[in-house]
Amino acid sequence: MKAVVFKEPYKVSCEDVEQPSNPQAGEAIVRVMACGLCGSDLHPYRGAEAGLRPGTVCGHEFAGVVEEVGTGVKLVPGERVAASFTTACGDCWYCTHGLSSRCNSAQLFGWIDEQNQGIHGGQAQFVRVPHADGTLMKLPDNVSFEEGVLMGDILATGYFCAKNALNMLADSKISPAELSIAVIGCGPVGLCTIASARMLGVGQIYAVDRVAARVEAAAKLGALSAGVETANGGRGVDAVLEVVGAYDALKLGFELVRPGGVISSVGVHAHSKGFPVSPSDCYDKNITFKSGRCPARSLMGEIGDLIASTDIARHIISHRVPLETASEMYEKFEAQKDGILKVVFNPWA
């Protein structure tokens, strides 16, 4: 089968690799109909995250059709499904308490370490899925494969980021319509965050990004491109939603948020610079901070309305391309060339 494999930093390749077969108990083989290129894929691509074994099939965003199942799996061949970006058993304490990202047996698709531990990813024609019933969600008939790709990672993450902020502000006695927030980072996850905040009723949303095209895309979703520095008469925004995963982005968030405000951070901080402020700084500004990996599988069932109300795929998917273009797409995405925003691969094109 065709698959995108990691070779070394700044080098991936579309190659013929062995097709997964003979699913074991609890496993499914999925025929991938659409798969995404995520900003998190750039961390090992750039060498910021070390330890990925060369030859690993990349990618953790995919949707498709169940091809085969092992014993004990309730899903049946032919069903349309989307996967969360990490596996989830569905039965442990974390899975049953809405925190599937901390499942006792969670594994990230597209990560096999140098000790050969891990699982291959979904930028391929077929993928093996452990804990199939806990990891895969049957897609509603009105949800496309492309939308399924978004549901299992970036859309769930944007929703998680916005929902966390609103939950932390619940005691403020400020209605969502009166709230002002700043979204730092307006790439695909940031746009999903803006769409989620809008659906949850937030009144004023500021888009913060250095790339003009991304700010323009955010404006099409109803975000403001200027004025964040003077929000609430200069008091600061009620919440900052940080989705970049960069030291400077989080530092800016602390500067923009008002005293008593909240910061919801879902950016993957793959750096060694540490935290941009001290506990004393947080104390002196009465800041509430929440971070963590999105429990995507726990949230996928909640976000169907978000897809229906925003047509988010139309707003963020900029490139629909064959797997053979992977090397070019990774390079362009890393360098932000040609107006690239979100890449979705068609493994069968």
Side-chain angles (χ1 to χ4, degrees):
M1 70 169 186
K2 292 187 295 184
V4 179
V5 299
F6 175 77
K7 308 296 285 185
E8 60 186 34
Y10 293 99
K11 186 177 182 181
V12 298
S13 176
C14 183
E15 300 180 357
D16 288 324
V17 302
E18 183 178 356
Q19 180 176 320
S21 61
N22 189 29
Q24 302 301 297
E27 295 182 343
I29 306 297
V30 173
R31 177 187 291 266
V32 179
M33 302 306 295
C35 49
L37 172 55
C38 180
S40 297
D41 293 325
L42 295 182
H43 295 311
Y45 179 74
R46 293 168 174 155
E49 284 185 302
L52 181 60
R53 191 198 73 183
T56 299
V57 177
C58 302
H60 51 260
E61 300 178 338
F62 63 92
V65 177
V66 176
E67 183 83 359
E68 298 180 73
V69 297
T71 57
V73 175
K74 297 175 183 177
L75 291 164
V76 298
E79 288 188 313
R80 300 168 66 252
V81 293
S84 55
F85 64 94
T86 58
T87 63
C89 73
D91 297 317
C92 71
W93 189 91
Y94 295 102
C95 284
T96 57
H97 287 76
L99 197 59
S100 58
S101 54
R102 294 301 155 203
C103 172
N104 289 333
S105 54
Q107 293 179 289
L108 175 66
F109 284 103
W111 188 274
I112 298 178
D113 64 23
E114 293 167 340
Q115 286 70 49
N116 206 34
Q117 299 297 308
I119 55 176
H120 286 295
Q123 289 174 4
Q125 292 179 314
F126 295 91
V127 60
R128 182 185 302 275
V129 180
H131 302 293
D133 286 328
T135 302
L136 299 171
M137 187 187 84
K138 186 176 177 180
L139 284 177
D141 293 339
N142 64 340
V143 175
S144 70
F145 289 122
E146 288 185 347
E147 290 167 333
V149 168
L150 305 182
M151 287 178 71
D153 187 0
I154 64 171
L155 188 55
T157 298
Y159 178 74
F160 176 65
C161 188
K163 186 179 180 181
N164 279 349
L166 266 65
N167 286 345
M168 288 188 286
L169 287 166
D171 292 335
S172 67
K173 296 181 173 59
I174 305 172
S175 71
E178 297 175 288
L179 290 175
S180 63
I181 67 169
V183 177
I184 300 180
C186 297
V189 177
L191 295 180
C192 289
T193 304
I194 290 168
S196 298
R198 181 66 72 203
M199 188 195 75
L200 292 169
V202 174
Q204 200 165 51
I205 304 170
Y206 295 95
V208 181
D209 200 293
R210 292 179 294 185
V211 180
R214 291 184 167 189
V215 175
E216 292 172 6
K220 293 177 182 178
L221 288 168
L224 301 170
S225 59
V228 66
E229 296 87 354
T230 58
N232 293 325
R235 183 170 65 244
V237 291
D238 300 301
V240 168
L241 283 58
E242 186 273 316
V243 302
V244 180
Y247 179 93
D248 290 343
L250 194 54
K251 184 174 184 293
L252 177 61
F254 278 94
E255 294 169 358
L256 293 177
V257 72
R258 66 164 169 83
V262 305
I263 296 177
S264 176
S265 173
V266 295
V268 180
H269 286 260
H271 58 75
S272 58
K273 295 182 179 179
F275 210 62
V277 297
S278 68
S280 177
D281 293 326
C282 295
Y283 177 91
D284 289 341
K285 206 172 179 181
N286 285 73
I287 297 302
T288 302
F289 177 82
K290 188 168 185 177
S291 183
R293 173 183 280 180
C294 169
R297 186 62 187 89
S298 299
L299 296 174
M300 287 170 70
E302 291 185 30
I303 57 180
D305 289 344
L306 180 56
I307 286 178
S309 65
T310 61
D311 192 16
I312 190 66
R314 178 175 63 85
H315 286 283
I316 71 169
I317 297 175
S318 58
H319 291 65
R320 295 170 171 88
V321 293
L323 278 181
E324 286 88 350
T325 66
S327 179
E328 176 190 359
M329 290 298 110
Y330 268 77
E331 179 183 344
K332 286 184 176 180
F333 191 37
E334 197 278 332
Q336 284 300 298
K337 295 179 180 176
D338 296 344
I340 199 165
L341 188 60
K342 181 65 179 179
V343 176
V344 172
F345 296 112
N346 179 349
W348 304 95

